[in-house]
Every structure is written in C-alpha cells, then in structure tokens.
Amino acid sequence: MNYTKELLKHFNNPKFVKKIKNPDGVGEVGNIQCGDVMHLEIKVKDNKIEDIGFHTFGCAAAISSSDIVCELVKGKTLEEAEKITKEDIVKKLGGMPPIKVHCSVLGISALKKAIEDYKEKNK
Amino acid sequence: MKQIYLDNAATTKVDDEVVKAMLPYFTEKFGNASSQHLVGREAKEALEKSRKIIAKSIGAKTREIIFTSGGTESNNLALKGLFFENYPEKNHIITTKIEHDCILNSCKWLETQGAKVTYLDVDENGFVNPEEVRKAITDKTIVVSIIHGNNEIGVIQDLEAIGKICKEKNVLFHTDACQSFTKVPINFKKQNLSLVTLNSHKIHGPKGVGALYIKEGTKITPLAHGGGHERNLRGGTENVPGIVGFAKAVEISKQKDITGMAELRDKLIKEILKIPNTRLNGSNEKRLCTNVNVSFNNIEGEAIGGYLENEGIYTSTGSACMSNTLESSHVLKAIGLSPIQSNSSLRISLSKYTTEEEIDYVLEKLSKVVKKLRMISPIK
C-alpha cells in the first residue's frame, strides 16, 4: 500500500494508545465489513478534552488515523472537536490511498460517540 | 537492512541460471520461430527443445504442451475454450469456492454467456469432497476444474480420487497447477487429467509465460486466432526467451529444494503456533512446501505485514484491508473463517532461497510485532 511518511510515522509509533483513568466519555465503533474496531476514551475538564486515548483493531490507515484524531483534538473544546472532518485527518496525514479514506471515518465516529457519551452522562 | 522475501506465492526471484539461458534469445538468437531462415530456425529449435523439457517433466507428449502468457491465460483458455467447443450441447462447469480469481471470474463471465456453474464447498481444512463432485456432475457437464495446490492456504487436493470420478462419469478434468508445479507430482494417467495449467514465474522462471497441457484428442476452441502458432490453439509470435527461461526453471528444480522448504515451513508453523491465540489456516498434512497461512486473532493482517516490512520482511495477507474490493479472502471464508479471522491472516510463502537464519529472524520479529499490535488492539 502506498502510504505517506506521515501516515507511517503514526502507524509505527502511535502516541495515544492508552487507557484513560476514569474516562468521562467512551466511544466504540466497528466496521464489520472491513473488520476495523476502534475504542476511544476522553477525559474532559472545563469543556476541553484534557486527555484522550485509543485502541484500534485495523490496518495501518486505521491505526494512524486513530492516532491523528487524538492528536488533533487534545486540548480542544468539545465544540471544536466535533467539527473535525475526515478531510482534516487525510490532510494531516499528507494524503491517503482513496480506498483507505473510509478508515479515517472510524476515528471521527468513535470521537463523536465518546463526546455524546460524556454529554449523556453530564446532562 | 536485511531484505527477506517471503511472498513467493505471488512471484519468485528469477534464478541466475534461468537469466543466463534466456539472454542469447534477446539479442543473438532473436528470431521469429515461424521464419524459415537460420535465425528463425534457431528460435524454433529452442522453442521445441523447451517444449520437450516441460512435456517430459510431467510425462506428457511434446505436442500436448501449448505455451501461453501465464497461468491466467491458460486457465481462461481451458475454461472458455472448452465451453465454446461444447456449447450449446453442454453448458455445465464444476469448480470450487477456493479457486484463483482467474478461474472464478472466467466462470462468472461464462455465466453471462449461457454457462451453468457449480461452485463446490470445501471442508474446514480446505478439501473438496470427491463425492460432492460426483453428485454435481450432470449430462450437461463439460469439465471439472479444481485447483491443485491452493495459492492462499496451500492445501493440496486429492486429484486422483476426483479424476477417477471424472473418468467414470466421462467428463473432462482440469487442474490449475500454478502453485504446485515442480513441487507436487502430476500424474495424468492416475489423475485422469485432460488439461493442466502450468506457470513459470512461481518456479523462478520469468513472468509472462505459462503453458496449458491439453491431452491429445481433447477438443478446444482457441481464444486468440493468429498465424497457426501452437497448433492453431494460441495465435501470436512465441515468447522464445520466456519459454527458454521457463524450461530452464523446470530443468533445475530439485527434490532436495522441496525437502528443505518443507522442513523450514514446518519449523515456521510449529513456532508461530506457540504464539497464543493463533490458528493455522488450511490442512497441516497435505500442504504445499512453500505455504504458511496463519490467523493472529485480534490483530489485523495488513498491520502485521506493515510492521514486518519495517524489518525488511515481505509477506501477504487475506485481509479485506489489502484488497481493492474491501472483501476479505474468499478462500478463508470458504474454510469457515469469520471476516475478522480472515482479516487477521498472514501468508508467508517460502522459496528455495529461504534460509533457516531468515526463518529465525522472522520468528523473532513476528512475536514482537504481534505483541505490539495486541497492545494497540481493543479486542483482548
């Protein structure tokens, strides 16, 4: 697969593979067809994503986009985080093989679920 | 960095001896084998000598070997050639769910032309039940086409048992022997084969050349019409350098290499299965000496391959993430794997160049890679 250097960097050394202690929001999504599964946890303080961690079953594109999602939203407000698009991820990774773009959606869906989960718990 | 090529089921390195044998046919003896002059006669001589070597290697008559551009063309010629020869009197083809794409896609296309195709199931080890073949045969059946050594899971089918049934029922029997050629014996009489697909680049020969064995008396319609080449069955100026290389590759194949590969394969399988939560895909007993296919539960095959590539190790996977259709391997599905298990598969395919040192290196790296990816995976 023809991956960019930036994508491979995040695939080879993902920085956000971790469990969050007492997470405020948890999101888990799976795509049975491709088989990808992503689990994402957030810690929220003052409406900002203070910390974030993920675990992903998936290919290089899935793992690297999971890591990028975390990098992009850490320190951002929930509103800012919700605005992240798959284009942002692909851009940040310096491009992605077209057939792999669907992998970037995985991270966003998991993030949205985690934020929803947080909001639900803090109604 | 070390480069360890373990994707020999995809293609192999061309042997130096093969290259040496081919070279004169590019620049010195470059003639068209159909030309009447000396340069042409030299090419013709090389062509026929090569044909003889390949025929002899499988106990066939020289005129029963038709050269093609490779396995895909040979399989297309076998199925489409037989179909158009026999249609509309007969229209039925029997094959399996674990064939190479070129067989399956030829069958799918033939269905649009009026063919009826039966795709036989296999058991959890990858074997076709010969009795299922018997049950599927009708008075409209033209041919039974079953892959000899499977390209993904390495399973070797019992051609003799299936061939016996084909003989009893008086239907033609074809096998795709691309992966098994020179590694597992072909015996036409015992196996009652009428057509066999052979290929060069899986056996350290050049790409772009293959052959189809067609038993004398078997009628087939050509796909490429031309100037009378290959007994009017395959038009086009013969690829003489390629064919010479193909024959050389056959000539230098040795039993010793097969034994060596089988030993390394067994070591690799044994050691990999010591990693927890792994399973071997395909039969352990009747398996190509070159093939290892393992699922590493809870992690994904392309990611394993990607990390191995960082260590200079080249492998392949049946994962959906590697295919253009985002569908996981039809072969792994046929032996009962769930999509997630197929997506966790890794194929390691050896060659005569694979060394024990390389296998040890792979095993060392593989266990680390699996550990790392399992840390990343949410599925425990």
Side-chain angles (χ1 to χ4, degrees), chain A residues 14-54:
Chain A
K15 298 271 183 283
F16 291 90
V17 178
K18 60 181 175 189
K19 279 254 162 223
I20 301 294
K21 221 177 169 182
N22 305 320
D24 298 315
V26 176
E28 186 160 307
V29 288
N31 170 347
I32 296 303
Q33 193 195 12
C34 183
D36 290 346
V37 179
M38 184 182 178
H39 179 95
L40 185 139
E41 297 176 344
I42 51 172
K43 192 89 196 156
V44 182
K45 198 179 173 190
D46 301 335
N47 198 43
K48 276 187 180 165
I49 298 178
E50 188 187 44
D51 205 2
I52 182 164
F54 79 93

Side-chain angles (χ1 to χ4, degrees), chain B residues 34-258:
Chain B
S34 299
S35 298
Q36 298 304 312
H37 47 63
L38 175 68
V39 191
R41 290 200 307 273
E42 277 177 345
K44 178 82 176 168
E45 199 184 309
L47 176 67
E48 293 314 319
K49 199 180 145 201
S50 302
R51 199 188 306 277
K52 213 171 177 175
I53 291 168
I54 290 165
K56 203 181 147 200
S57 79
I58 54 170
K61 293 175 190 157
T62 307
R63 54 183 279 110
E64 292 176 319
I65 298 294
I66 300 298
F67 286 114
T68 67
S69 65
T72 292
E73 187 190 332
S74 294
N75 282 337
N76 270 267
L77 178 58
L79 293 188
K80 294 176 185 171
L82 286 174
F83 177 77
F84 289 113
E85 185 69 34
N86 290 283
Y87 187 75
E89 287 76 29
K90 290 182 176 181
N91 69 344
H92 183 223
I93 295 169
I94 297 170
T95 188
T96 78
K97 289 184 179 168
I98 61 163
E99 299 300 309
H100 189 276
D101 276 337
C102 64
I103 289 284
L104 293 177
N105 287 329
S106 290
C107 284
K108 274 184 207 154
W109 182 78
L110 282 169
E111 283 173 326
T112 71
Q113 305 299 305
K116 296 269 178 271
V117 183
T118 302
Y119 302 91
L120 295 172
D121 287 317
V122 295
D123 67 17
E124 73 274 15
N125 289 313
F127 294 112
V128 175
N129 180 349
E131 285 311 307
E132 295 295 317
V133 177
R134 184 194 300 278
K135 276 189 227 158
I137 295 173
T138 72
D139 57 357
K140 294 277 188 193
T141 305
I142 302 165
V143 63
V144 173
S145 176
I146 291 177
I147 191 166
H148 189 201
N150 186 269
N151 51 309
E152 290 191 41
I153 54 173
V155 171
I156 300 164
Q157 300 296 334
D158 185 354
L159 296 187
E160 200 177 324
I162 300 164
K164 221 169 136 186
I165 292 166
C166 293
K167 193 174 181 179
E168 263 174 49
K169 297 279 194 175
N170 200 24
V171 299
L172 298 171
F173 187 23
H174 165 248
T175 192
D176 170 1
C178 283
Q179 296 284 340
S180 62
F181 184 37
T182 71
K183 297 179 185 84
V184 189
I186 296 268
N187 184 322
F188 299 110
K189 277 202 182 135
K190 270 191 174 172
Q191 297 164 335
N192 186 46
L193 285 157
S194 297
L195 301 101
V196 179
T197 291
L198 306 172
N199 156 298
S200 152
H201 78 99
K202 312 285 191 196
I203 60 165
H204 306 284
K207 294 169 186 58
V209 57
L212 182 64
Y213 158 85
I214 308 177
K215 192 180 175 183
E216 216 167 19
T218 310
K219 281 190 179 154
I220 189 162
T221 299
L223 304 182
H225 298 88
H229 312 88
E230 301 297 296
R231 291 174 38 222
N232 274 319
L233 288 174
R234 201 266 186 181
T237 300
E238 297 87 351
N239 171 7
V240 176
I243 290 166
V244 167
F246 183 14
K248 181 51 92 178
V250 172
E251 213 173 27
I252 62 175
S253 63
K254 293 185 199 77
Q255 181 60 42
K256 201 183 98 215
D257 292 335
I258 297 165

